[in-house]
Amino acid sequence: MAALDIQGLEKTYANGFTAVAGLDLKIGKGELVSLLGPSGCGKTTTLRMVAGFIDPTAGRITIEGREVTHLPAHARDTGMVFQSYALFPHMSVAQNVAFGLEMRKVGRAEREARTVEALKRVQLDHLAERYPRQLSGGQQQRVALARALVVNPAVFLLDEPLSNLDAKLRGEVRSEIRALQQALGLTTLMVTHDQEEALTMSDRLVVMEGGRVRQAGTAEDLYERPADAFVANFVGRSNLIRGRLAEGAFEAASGTRLACVPGGAGTGPLVFALRPERIGLSVGDDATGEPAVLKEILYLGAQTEYVVALGAERLTVIRPTPAAGDPLHAARPGDGVRARWTPEHVRLLPDT
């Protein structure tokens, strides 16, 4: 039995706009699943329907075998961390954390003990008497986590939990949330638009677009085996070129031919998808690969991004930054280079 079972979930508003259309999702006990997609794809609406803040138009939500589709939020056995933290400014850290227990009529002694334990879990027990205004962004996020954890929820809900933190702190808190989720075996549904966040934290990802699921699977599934061009370009980056198969190779609409493994792709319209880091680049008389012209160079520190032209097509290439003395280090826009890739790394996707 799934800890969280969503069947045929839909939300259509009075103006006719459908935010979520027929979503099915099962999450196992202790699993962390991320809803990933661009703004407006329906992921936050889905989370809020699970939390009980939005009433679905159709469908069914079950938590540990109990249907909760139309129950109020406080009766669902969920704990939610909001994007804005939503801490009460007039309450201390301890009072904020204890609030959910107080609403559930938990006795004072038990309430205090569980509050202390929750704050210890997020390493903030020494700040119990402070107020939110006296805390850093990362500390406020930890208070929000403790408040959601203290009620021992059957399902843990995270709404863009790291979006208000700076890049360095985001990485630290991301690791802390994942470690806490795994240590406590929390069944978790997270909403994010951040690819790195989803890839590094999740057991499974669900990519949404236009209120529908485009693909669900592990990070490796979605990255290495995207179902369509939308997923290929949303999870990581891809060179995407429209065309079709012709005599065992991919022929772009421009006429440029690119190496691939045809497989069972068929003869209809296709999209050639190749990750930038799968392309090698070399310079010199002994270089191998397809002749190309270097158009752009973008230095990124440990990596360098190149744009090369193969005939009428342009490919983005990402390589480790070459050391001084490497012929590629001296290359400049306008120079001739050689681009190469393993044909098996190309994905031929339906042109949808």
Side-chain angles (χ1 to χ4, degrees), residues 41-52:
C41 72
K43 57 188 186 295
T44 297
T45 302
T46 299
L47 191 78
R48 289 180 173 270
M49 285 192 283
V50 173

Side-chain angles (χ1 to χ4, degrees), residues 75 78 124 164-165 226 232 249 267:
T78 61
L124 285 182
N164 290 329
L165 303 178
T267 57

Side-chain angles (χ1 to χ4, degrees), residues 17 45 48 66 112 124 126 163 193 217 226 233 252 288 315:
F17 172 69
T45 302
R48 289 180 173 270
R66 181 173 72 113
E112 290 178 352
L124 285 182
H126 62 294
S163 62
H193 67 275
N233 205 38
T288 59
L315 296 177

Side-chain angles (χ1 to χ4, degrees), residues 322-334:
D326 186 317
L328 191 57
H329 183 269
R332 295 293 179 265

Side-chain angles (χ1 to χ4, degrees), residues 187-339:
T187 303
T188 304
L189 180 62
M190 181 174 76
V191 159
T192 182
H193 67 275
D194 187 290
Q195 300 171 28
E196 184 178 347
E197 192 174 302
L199 289 167
T200 57
M201 292 179 69
S202 311
D203 295 303
R204 283 189 296 135
L205 290 79
V206 177
V207 177
M208 295 182 66
E209 193 263 338
R212 300 180 182 277
V213 174
R214 297 296 291 257
Q215 188 175 357
T218 65
E220 184 178 356
D221 286 338
L222 271 61
Y223 193 84
E224 300 293 349
R225 295 172 288 280
D228 57 34
F230 177 84
V231 176
N233 205 38
F234 195 83
V235 180
R237 295 172 63 186
S238 283
N239 292 289
L240 301 175
I241 300 172
R242 282 190 163 90
R244 61 181 64 242
L245 286 174
E247 300 176 0
F250 180 85
E251 185 174 281
S254 64
T256 302
R257 293 173 64 83
L258 302 167
C260 67
V261 175
T267 57
L270 296 170
V271 174
F272 172 102
L274 181 60
R275 300 288 185 189
E277 69 275 13
R278 299 290 196 190
I279 305 173
L281 210 56
S282 53
V283 181
D285 295 337
D286 57 348
T288 59
E290 298 295 321
V293 177
L294 188 56
K295 293 295 186 180
E296 298 176 29
I297 303 173
L298 181 61
Y299 175 74
L300 302 173
Q303 294 180 318
T304 296
E305 180 177 310
Y306 305 89
V307 176
V308 300
L310 276 75
E313 301 300 329
R314 292 197 174 200
L315 296 177
T316 296
V317 181
I318 296 178
R319 303 303 305 164
T321 296
D326 186 317
L328 191 57
H329 183 269
R332 295 293 179 265
D335 290 353
V337 294
R338 293 274 180 168

Side-chain angles (χ1 to χ4, degrees), residues 10-21 49 55-58:
E10 295 187 9
K11 181 59 183 180
T12 300
Y13 290 95
N15 62 3
F17 172 69
T18 298
V20 177
M49 285 192 283
D55 198 42
T57 305

Side-chain angles (χ1 to χ4, degrees), residues 4 43 62 68 88 102 138 141 145 206 240 249 307:
L4 175 62
K43 57 188 186 295
T62 303
V68 301
F88 298 114
E102 192 173 348
Q141 179 62 283
L145 286 169
V206 177
L240 301 175
V307 176

